[in-house]
Amino acid sequence: MTGSLQTQIAERLTQVRQTLPDSVKLIAVTKQVSVEALRAAYAAGVRDFGESRIQETADKQAQLTDLPDITWHLIGHLQSNKAAKALELFQWIHSVDSLKLAQRLNQIAADLPQKPTLCLQVKVLSDPTKYGWTIPELLNDLPALDQCTDLNTVGLMAIPPYGLESSETLAVFTRTRDLAAQIRQDGATIKHLKMQELSMGMSDDYLLAVEAGATMIRLGRTLFGDRP
Ligand SMILES: *Cc1c(COP(=O)(O)O)cnc(C)c1O
């Protein structure tokens, strides 16, 4: 690892952390980022890493067996037929985006020693380029999701559509926060699902997300530079 890469990533992390309340968890998104850069972030104290692909994560983990205390977060779309592999590689899945996927994960998790931790991906504004539940769809599926008791479902994940004004992006994050609060209050249907985590905010909008109450932000380019 070059000294300058180490220094640059450590400096970027310091800058970002200065803008964050201590309660916000920073997830370093290392998709398409080298193992060397990932190690630099680890050396600077990062223990939460986000990836969007199964194979890329498996390849990286094989090169990082000396770093056992990493928490791996899946942040990309997961096909049901890769659910078992995902549960081997990741402790968190932020991108659970359908009832079918949740039920498949629940089935596999029944045989695991530890429940996987999940967020439900919600689309506050319609966005054909993204996966996830619209709000009416999610409300409709909540009773069935609540039955998935081998999953530790802790909150919501949101990605605003591209090209919004800041005020519109903030409104998406605020709506997501309010939706989590609404679900928390629905004790009649919701016995098992928890809604205390809000995974929202990327390089271009994380300050707005934090303003709206994000508990986890997912940063790639701000830490590692532009992806190839
Ligand atoms: C790539 C990605 C990120 C990180 O994006 P940056 O703009 O590089 O910070 C965060 N969340 C998801 C779901 C992503 O796919």
Side-chain angles (χ1 to χ4, degrees):
M1 186 191 310
T2 64
S4 66
L5 177 66
Q6 176 77 71
T7 309
Q8 190 177 38
I9 291 174
E11 279 172 0
R12 287 173 173 173
L13 271 165
T14 303
Q15 278 165 10
V16 169
R17 285 195 179 114
Q18 278 166 358
T19 66
L20 295 181
D22 287 343
S23 57
V24 175
K25 186 190 293 266
L26 170 71
I27 298 168
V29 175
T30 44
K31 64 184 183 201
Q32 298 174 59
V33 167
S34 69
V35 166
E36 288 67 36
L38 191 156
R39 283 185 180 277
Y42 182 94
V46 176
R47 292 296 180 271
D48 290 275
F49 290 91
E51 288 281 345
S52 54
R53 287 172 184 275
I54 298 288
Q55 191 55 50
E56 183 177 344
T57 308
D59 293 344
K60 281 185 179 145
Q61 289 186 3
Q63 299 172 66
L64 295 166
T65 51
D66 57 317
L67 308 181
D69 59 344
I70 290 179
T71 299
W72 293 94
H73 300 256
L74 178 62
I75 59 170
H77 175 63
L78 174 61
Q79 292 168 320
S80 288
N81 64 359
K82 294 187 184 162
K85 189 69 189 167
L87 291 178
E88 283 174 29
L89 298 172
F90 294 95
Q91 290 76 48
W92 279 71
I93 302 178
H94 295 231
S95 44
V96 178
D97 53 20
S98 72
L99 179 58
K100 178 176 165 239
L101 175 61
Q103 289 173 332
R104 180 74 191 115
L105 290 166
N106 188 56
Q107 203 176 32
I108 301 164
D111 297 324
L112 299 179
Q114 197 160 357
K115 293 182 187 185
T117 302
L118 313 181
C119 294
L120 306 175
Q121 184 172 350
V122 62
K123 287 193 290 193
V124 166
L125 299 178
S126 84
D127 183 348
T129 68
K130 298 227 165 57
Y131 290 95
W133 281 273
T134 64
I135 293 177
E137 287 166 349
L138 182 63
L139 295 175
N140 188 56
D141 281 348
L142 279 179
L145 288 165
D146 200 59
Q147 302 289 311
C148 294
T149 52
D150 285 302
L151 304 177
N152 181 30
T153 302
V154 295
L156 301 178
M157 196 268 251
I159 308 172
Y162 281 114
L164 297 184
E165 301 284 340
S166 299
S167 60
E168 296 170 314
T169 301
L170 181 62
V172 167
F173 291 142
T174 306
R175 184 74 189 89
T176 307
R177 178 194 66 202
D178 292 347
L179 177 63
Q182 179 190 338
I183 297 170
R184 267 200 310 271
Q185 276 150 25
D186 182 4
T189 355
I190 307 307
K191 304 288 181 207
H192 178 74
L193 296 175
K194 286 171 283 191
M195 280 289 138
Q196 74 270 35
E197 301 286 347
L198 294 170
S199 171
M200 48 190 206
M202 304 165 47
S203 290
D204 291 333
D205 58 19
Y206 73 92
L207 291 174
L208 295 169
V210 169
E211 187 181 333
T215 63
M216 293 180 282
I217 60 169
R218 310 175 309 269
L219 294 189
R221 290 168 300 134
T222 297
L223 302 179
F224 301 109
D226 285 339
R227 287 179 288 273

